[in-house]
Amino acid sequence: LVLLRALHRQKEMAVRVALGAGRRHILQLLVAESGLLCAAAVVLVAALTTVTLRALAPLIETELGRPAPRGVSAIGVDATVLLAIAIAGMLVALMLCAVPLATPWQRRLSDTLRGTGRHGADRPAAQRFRNALIGFELASSLVLLVGCGMMIRSVVHMVSTDLGFRIDGVTRVRVLLPTRAYPNAAT
């Protein structure tokens, strides 16, 4: 959607270039906009995931049939996962702001400024690119939706699978040996 928005802002960028803005100034603008959008999305997704995991933690323990090793509070998003999400968000922000810079504003500046209306007349190449971009976004969304459905179906099948033994009347005991008496596993 950010790329589509950048295509619609060609006239605005052409006006900025005509008024003397260089590629560095436009890059700063695009980096700031993309960075804010991606940072807000990463924070929102991380918060939503954390809240969802905390709400589902008792259900997860019930389905597993045993408590989590460090309690319900241990079920959550790991710091390395958050770091990976933040890095991926930064890469996406940089890619989103770099793509509009590939547009040769200075070569067709007069054509862009002469366009009528707010968005100007789109050339056939721009229309094909826009249509291809929308098709790619729809296909990607469909692939993600199908993958999510398959993952949910797999989890439902895993939970409902008969393990081949009954746990009725089974008692579980945990024995902790003192580390002072048994300093290593061999003794």
Side-chain angles (χ1 to χ4, degrees):
L1 293 176
V2 171
L3 292 176
L4 193 58
R5 183 171 162 244
L7 285 174
H8 283 290
R9 294 176 64 192
Q10 284 182 348
K11 190 169 185 175
E12 174 196 343
M13 294 301 163
V15 169
R16 288 179 185 273
V17 169
L19 292 175
R23 286 205 181 262
R24 183 175 57 92
H25 296 106
I26 293 174
L27 179 66
Q28 287 174 348
L29 173 74
L30 294 173
V31 166
E33 288 177 357
S34 299
L36 284 174
L37 284 174
C38 287
V42 166
V43 167
L44 181 67
V45 166
L48 192 62
T49 303
T50 303
V51 168
T52 303
L53 282 176
R54 288 213 177 129
L56 294 177
L59 180 65
I60 292 170
E61 282 189 337
T62 303
E63 290 298 323
L64 288 176
R66 60 187 172 108
R70 289 176 290 174
V72 178
S73 63
I75 299 175
V77 180
D78 190 32
T80 55
V81 172
L82 288 176
L83 181 64
I85 290 171
I87 290 172
M90 285 190 307
L91 289 175
V92 167
L94 289 175
M95 286 189 298
L96 288 176
C97 69
V99 171
L101 286 179
T103 307
W105 288 307
Q106 292 168 339
R107 275 188 257 148
R108 39 176 223 183
L109 184 61
S110 61
D111 292 340
T112 305
L113 290 174
R114 254 189 252 127
T116 59
R118 183 173 164 224
H119 300 296
D122 286 338
R123 294 181 170 172
Q127 289 175 350
R128 282 192 302 272
F129 180 70
R130 183 179 304 122
N131 291 338
L133 185 62
I134 291 170
F136 177 73
E137 288 175 355
L138 289 173
S140 300
S141 298
L142 183 64
V143 167
L144 287 173
L145 186 65
V146 168
C148 184
M150 290 173 59
M151 184 187 71
I152 290 172
R153 192 180 85 190
S154 297
V155 169
V156 167
H157 284 303
M158 284 181 4
V159 168
S160 64
T161 300
D162 182 25
L163 298 177
F165 57 87
R166 294 182 337 164
I167 59 171
D168 300 336
V170 174
T171 304
R172 186 174 65 174
V173 177
R174 184 174 180 186
V175 177
L176 294 174
L177 300 174
T179 55
R180 284 180 280 136
Y182 302 96
N184 58 28
T187 54

